[in-house]
């Protein structure tokens, strides 16, 4: 008897809430830091280091808003806050130059890549929690649906493979940004650095979506084959009983 069961469908999501979440994330993590830095170093006459440090406050606000919006602190928020604290501490230690801060910021994203790779040894990889944030709208129903998918082997393989790809990609991205920080002027890097981070994020997001759909389709195909095979094995047994009964009831 087959033990394969179809995965439950995802509950309905709020498209407006999802769109607002993405707009808020891009605005506070990319647009606002660039504008803040340019205004402070331009018309305000600030030094590069304090302007760069203050522009990094916008991602903190983004995290605070999301925590207040969802009214709970999930694993994604915890990881984000930890990295923001690490960024602030690293930024205050050592040489207080804008270039050094950019290099340290690149090192933090590299650390994120290392963390992804390290969680492959944990019970659940980091992309499971990131996936839950962006694949659900935070309601108890959608969260329970996502958590329940972990019972499927194909889903577990997909989450671990995604975590591996994200980890390697961000380690490489950090190394490239560090090299650029030594060879490109600070004002250019202030624009290039966040754009590069989110360009890599967008590329990984597209790959993740395509790979996730392909993995789901493959899982559904295997389930259909298993069901068809089980039904085919059951057909001869079902047909033999009427035939034997007919022979037994025929007159001599």
């Amino acid at each position: 008897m087959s033990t394969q069961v179809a995965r439950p469908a995802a509950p309905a999501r709020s498209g407006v809430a999802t769109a607002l979440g993405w707009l808020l994330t891009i605005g506070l993590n990319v647009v606002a830091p660039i504008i803040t830095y340019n205004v402070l170093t331009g018309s305000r006459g600030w030094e590069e280091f304090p302007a760069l440090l203050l522009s990094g406050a916008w991602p903190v606000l983004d995290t605070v808003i999301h925590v207040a919006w969802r009214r709970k602190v999930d694993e994604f928020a915890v990881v984000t806050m930890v990295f923001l604290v690490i960024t602030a501490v690293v930024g205050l230690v050592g040489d207080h130059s804008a270039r050094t801060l950019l290099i340290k910021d690149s090192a933090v994203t590299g650390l994120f890549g290392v963390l992804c790779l390290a969680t492959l040894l944990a019970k659940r990889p980091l992309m499971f929690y990131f996936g839950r944030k962006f694949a659900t709208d935070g309601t108890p129903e959608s969260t329970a649906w996502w958590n329940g998918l972990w019972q499927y082997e194909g889903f577990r393989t997909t989450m671990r493979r995604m975590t591996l790809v994200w980890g390697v990609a961000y380690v490489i991205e950090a190394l490239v940004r560090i090299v650029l920080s030594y060879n490109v002027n600070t004002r250019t890097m202030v624009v290039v650095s966040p754009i590069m981070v989110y360009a890599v994020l967008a590329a990984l997001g597209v790959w993740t979506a395509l790979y996730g759909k392909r993995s789901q389709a493959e899982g559904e195909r295997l389930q259909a084959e298993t069901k068809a095979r089980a039904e085919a094995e059951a057909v001869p047994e079902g047909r033999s009983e009427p035939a034997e009964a007919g022979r037994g009831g025929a007159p001599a």
Side-chain angles (χ1 to χ4, degrees), residues 40-65:
L40 293 178
T41 58
S43 59
R44 299 295 181 177
W46 283 40
E47 296 292 331
E48 289 182 335
F49 177 79
L52 192 59
L53 193 62
L54 185 61
S55 66
W58 290 108
V60 178
L61 178 61
D62 176 52
T63 301
V64 172
I65 291 175

Side-chain angles (χ1 to χ4, degrees), residues 34-230:
I34 293 175
I35 294 176
T36 300
Y37 175 84
N38 289 330
V39 169
L40 293 178
T41 58
S43 59
R44 299 295 181 177
W46 283 40
E47 296 292 331
E48 289 182 335
F49 177 79
L52 192 59
L53 193 62
L54 185 61
S55 66
W58 290 108
V60 178
L61 178 61
D62 176 52
T63 301
V64 172
I65 291 175
H66 275 86
V67 170
W69 190 354
R70 297 289 177 85
R71 295 185 179 181
K72 66 177 181 179
V73 180
D74 56 12
E75 295 84 355
F76 181 89
V78 171
V79 171
T80 302
M81 289 303 299
V82 167
F83 271 95
L84 289 173
V85 171
I86 291 175
T87 302
V89 171
V90 170
L92 294 172
V93 175
D95 181 16
H96 288 183
S97 68
R99 174 171 291 176
T100 301
L101 188 58
L102 285 169
I103 294 171
K104 291 176 180 178
D105 182 59
S106 302
V108 170
T109 62
L111 182 60
F112 170 76
V114 172
L115 177 62
C116 284
L117 299 177
T119 59
L120 291 173
L121 302 176
K123 182 178 180 181
R124 296 183 181 182
L126 190 58
M127 282 303 109
F128 171 83
Y129 301 105
F130 276 52
R132 187 173 65 188
K133 175 179 175 61
F134 294 107
T136 71
D137 56 7
T139 61
E141 294 79 11
S142 62
T143 300
W145 162 75
W146 183 263
N147 292 341
L149 294 178
W150 188 254
Q151 65 182 296
Y152 302 103
E153 181 180 355
F155 179 80
R156 297 193 298 270
T157 300
T158 298
M159 290 297 103
R160 293 190 176 106
R161 191 164 296 166
M162 286 180 178
T163 302
L164 174 63
V165 171
W166 279 65
V168 172
Y170 268 112
V171 168
I172 294 174
E173 178 271 344
L175 294 175
V176 171
R177 278 205 295 151
I178 290 174
V179 171
L180 289 176
S181 297
Y182 280 107
N183 296 279
V184 178
N185 64 70
T186 302
R187 182 173 294 275
T188 301
M189 276 304 298
V190 168
V191 177
V192 171
S193 187
I195 290 178
M196 186 174 175
V197 170
Y198 281 91
V200 172
L201 176 61
L204 286 171
V206 172
W207 173 83
T208 298
L210 295 176
Y211 176 68
K213 289 181 179 180
R214 188 180 70 178
S215 298
Q216 182 178 3
E218 178 67 13
E220 292 173 351
R221 183 185 66 81
L222 292 175
Q223 290 173 1
E225 289 181 354
T226 301
K227 181 179 179 180
R229 186 164 51 248

Side-chain angles (χ1 to χ4, degrees), residues 236-246:
E237 298 178 1
R239 288 180 177 176
S240 62
E241 292 178 0
E244 292 175 359

